[in-house]
Amino acid sequence: MTGPRGMAGAESAIRVEDLTVAYGEKPVLWDVDMAVPPGVLMAVIGPNGAGKTTLIKAIMGLVRPVAGYVSIFGKPYLSQRRLVGYVPQRNSVDWDFPTSVLDVVMMGRYGVLGWFGRPGRAERKAAMEALTKVGMADLAGRQISQLSGGQQQRVFLARALVQDARVYLMDEPFQGVDATTERAIVTLLKEMRSEGKTVLVVHHDLQTVPEYFDWVTLLNVRCVASGPVEKAFIDRNLRLTYGGRVSYLTHHAAEETFGHPEE
Amino acid sequence: MGIPGFVQTLFADYTLRQVALGAAMLGIVNGVLGSFAVLRKQSLLGDGISHAALPGIALAFLLTGSKSSLTLLLGAAAAGWVGTLLIMSIVNHTRVKYDSALGLVLSVFFGFGLVLLTYIQKLPVATQAGLDKFLFGQAATLLRKDVATIAVLGGIVVAFLLVFWKEFKLVSFDPDFAFSLGYPVRALDVLLTTLLVIAIVIGLQTVGVVLMSAMVVAPAAAARQWTDRLGVMVAVSGIFGALAGVGGALVSSSASRIPTGPTIVLCASAVVLFSLLLAPNRGLAWGYFREQINRRQLQTEAVLGDLYILARQHREAGHGHPVEVLRTMAHGHGGVDRSLKVLQERGLVEETGPGEWALTPPGMEEAGRLSRQWRETP
């Protein structure tokens, strides 16, 4: 793997070393090394069951690794938690929960508020600004069960925006959203990058990787490759990741859909 | 005894007042905590906790020989808590799923409790009588100090809930995100479950272990029907809990020998039924009427559309078409006559002869607009 080595590693926004996660006896992630420089938009791609979601969860300590070490800007994750924003998969929560859009977005400030702080005017203002950024300001008062899939995703993104983090971990933000929302999200991601944020995105659509991202990690239990898109996103690596069933570069326009290896 | 007489008795009768007060408080506490249990999809956990508490009550009596409510409640809470931990560890360490683990612990603890209870009743001790009230509840046995116990413990539970409101809301909605913000999700989970255990335990003497879970689930499920805001839901659930508690306790106390649990459950069910049927937006009746209104509007638009098609085929404005033709075009879906009447009132159609109808010029315009709209929306 190319990337910063030794002391230079302190400059990585996210640095993962020897990360191994197992559910029971089966390894889900095996000896993953990865260094993400600050200010890049990175896609994490790989077939179903490759451990993409687990990678995000292991970085945050939500899943306990068997071995390995994660640092954010050179320091252990736990001491840098405030710098990391998280966008979970949309379907990981019950959208029939009795709460409003604005309320969910304000949850992004709870970490800063601490135990006994209550959300007030400042939090409301930050939440409204984030909602405006994702084009949802007029739906702030809406009950969350009345949102479409794309709107739910935008709410989660707004919640992450008010965290005002430097590193973002996003689990499939493009899943099940329409073309308009996808474009809006991409615009937002690029805006975040231009503000110097580092964004890691679990992604499924190989076609759009070169267009949306400048950095990529190919994952299939092991880390096959990680680096700038033009270097890492090559036919050989894709074959290694997807088990030879991908012909992205040979059919560049790639009309065909990709078959993921069965689990 | 009429209602004014009843209310008068309520305020005059010391015992009845105690009973009503105790039932109201435990109703509020369980309604409030139950909201979180329901939202966290742990409705059945309440059933597990209350059944698991029975052997705790019996053991507390056997060990101390005391029937003071605090001693028995401590035993109940300890057993309920152990039962809950057992359920969690079975789920975490074996392949047994949550529902099976819950059923297992519930029945084993409850069975053990019944054995102990039978044993106690055979003891030649004068004080042994009366523990069986914990099975189905007996509100009439609430004494002043029992009510005080309920008030203190219930107050503590609600105070905790208010202090950690923001955190409980967050872990109930999105525990992973809460974890990513640095909140100790596991500890908050244990705290919330412990509060639920306390809420349930203070209701056992009044409602009984068998039906206690109704006090946890029913008010919350009913309250969810009326609002889309957590704060309002919790408050309404508390009020519903109090209503069901007081209603059930008073009915069972005034008619002798009826256990309180069943009467409270009947009151709670009435609240749930009422809410399921009549609540705005989520209620069944609301949904039915909305569907009827939609159906009628679609029928009316369809008749207008059919007349538009006919009019375009004839190229002669004001040419009347027999209502039978319209009925055929509606494929027997009905509502043609009603639709024509509605359209006539809106000035969109006119009756050109007996049973013959045609679009008016504004009707022609409206139908044209609708048909363009239909074409645009796939």
Side-chain angles (χ1 to χ4, degrees), chain A:
Chain A
M1 188 195 79
T2 59
R5 283 206 177 85
M7 285 308 289
E11 283 147 33
S12 296
I14 309 169
R15 189 175 173 83
V16 173
E17 287 171 56
D18 310 332
L19 191 70
T20 301
V21 178
Y23 295 142
E25 283 166 17
K26 199 176 143 221
V28 186
L29 288 177
W30 182 256
D31 197 21
V32 171
D33 291 306
M34 185 178 85
V36 188
V40 300
L41 263 183
M42 183 177 89
V44 175
I45 55 171
N48 292 334
K52 302 184 293 291
T53 297
T54 308
L55 175 66
I56 285 192
K57 291 194 168 177
I59 290 176
M60 293 189 307
L62 206 51
V63 175
R64 192 169 296 175
V66 180
Y69 179 78
V70 175
S71 63
I72 306 292
F73 289 109
K75 290 186 193 143
Y77 168 78
L78 281 182
S79 63
Q80 302 282 68
R81 199 172 235 159
R82 230 3 90 62
L83 302 182
V84 183
Y86 174 43
V87 179
Q89 271 184 36
R90 182 160 56 81
N91 55 18
S92 65
V93 303
D94 174 13
W95 288 94
D96 197 33
F97 197 87
T99 190
S100 69
V101 166
L102 188 70
D103 240 21
V104 172
V105 177
M106 283 198 291
M107 286 177 187
R109 298 304 295 168
Y110 281 14
V112 181
L113 280 172
W115 283 100
F116 301 108
R118 290 281 181 272
R121 188 174 300 186
E123 283 69 34
R124 193 173 289 267
K125 187 162 164 277
M128 281 312 294
E129 276 167 15
L131 281 171
T132 309
K133 261 192 191 168
V134 298
M136 292 269 296
D138 47 335
L139 298 181
R142 188 166 285 196
Q143 147 70 12
I144 55 171
S145 65
Q146 293 165 13
L147 301 177
S148 70
Q151 288 168 337
Q152 291 172 354
Q153 195 63 61
R154 287 171 193 231
V155 170
F156 265 11
L157 285 167
R159 183 177 70 173
L161 285 180
V162 301
Q163 284 188 269
D164 198 22
R166 288 174 66 191
V167 173
Y168 283 96
L169 308 173
M170 303 187 176
D171 204 346
E172 305 219 16
F174 295 110
Q175 192 193 39
V177 304
D178 58 23
T180 325
T181 304
E182 179 153 340
R183 274 195 302 278
I185 295 176
V186 170
T187 312
L188 186 72
L189 291 181
K190 295 194 166 165
E191 208 179 300
M192 290 166 81
R193 178 178 57 192
S194 66
E195 289 167 11
K197 318 267 189 198
T198 311
V199 189
L200 184 158
V201 177
V202 170
H203 195 53
H204 255 309
D205 183 11
L206 293 183
Q207 323 285 330
T208 51
V209 168
E211 185 190 338
Y212 294 172
F213 301 95
D214 50 9
W215 207 267
V216 68
T217 291
L218 291 94
L219 194 71
N220 191 352
V221 183
R222 290 160 177 276
C223 178
V224 175
S226 181
V229 169
E230 60 271 19
K231 282 190 187 158
F233 198 66
I234 55 173
D235 207 20
R236 193 175 65 91
N237 288 341
L238 284 165
R239 271 181 213 290
L240 281 171
T241 311
Y242 288 89
R245 296 176 65 182
V246 176
S247 44
Y248 176 79
L249 294 177
T250 38
H251 303 267
H252 220 294
E255 321 71 6
E256 74 204 87
T257 48
F258 297 102
H260 297 310
E262 292 299 320
E263 275 271 89

Side-chain angles (χ1 to χ4, degrees), chain B residues 242-365:
Chain B
L243 284 177
V246 172
L250 291 183
V251 168
S252 94
S253 302
S254 50
S256 62
R257 307 297 297 164
I258 300 180
T260 313
T263 52
I264 282 187
V265 168
L266 287 181
C267 287
S269 312
V271 174
V272 171
L273 197 64
F274 179 74
S275 304
L276 283 180
L277 286 176
L278 296 178
N281 290 321
R282 295 172 85 96
L284 291 173
W286 186 277
Y288 176 78
F289 285 121
R290 194 166 39 200
E291 197 177 303
Q292 288 301 311
I293 290 167
N294 284 346
R295 181 206 297 258
R296 289 187 169 194
Q297 192 185 343
L298 283 175
Q299 276 176 353
T300 308
E301 283 180 6
V303 169
L304 192 68
D306 290 343
L307 272 171
Y308 185 63
I309 293 168
L310 292 171
R312 284 167 59 111
Q313 279 166 356
H314 283 263
R315 297 186 172 279
E316 181 193 334
H319 180 88
H321 302 281
V323 68
E324 286 78 12
V325 175
L326 291 170
R327 285 205 188 106
T328 313
M329 289 175 85
H331 297 291
H333 287 312
V336 172
D337 293 307
R338 187 195 50 80
S339 298
L340 284 172
K341 203 186 250 172
V342 171
L343 291 168
Q344 190 178 27
E345 277 163 19
R346 288 167 59 191
L348 300 179
V349 301
E350 57 190 350
E351 192 163 16
T352 53
E356 298 209 339
W357 294 83
L359 289 174
T360 60
M364 200 68 191
E365 210 169 287

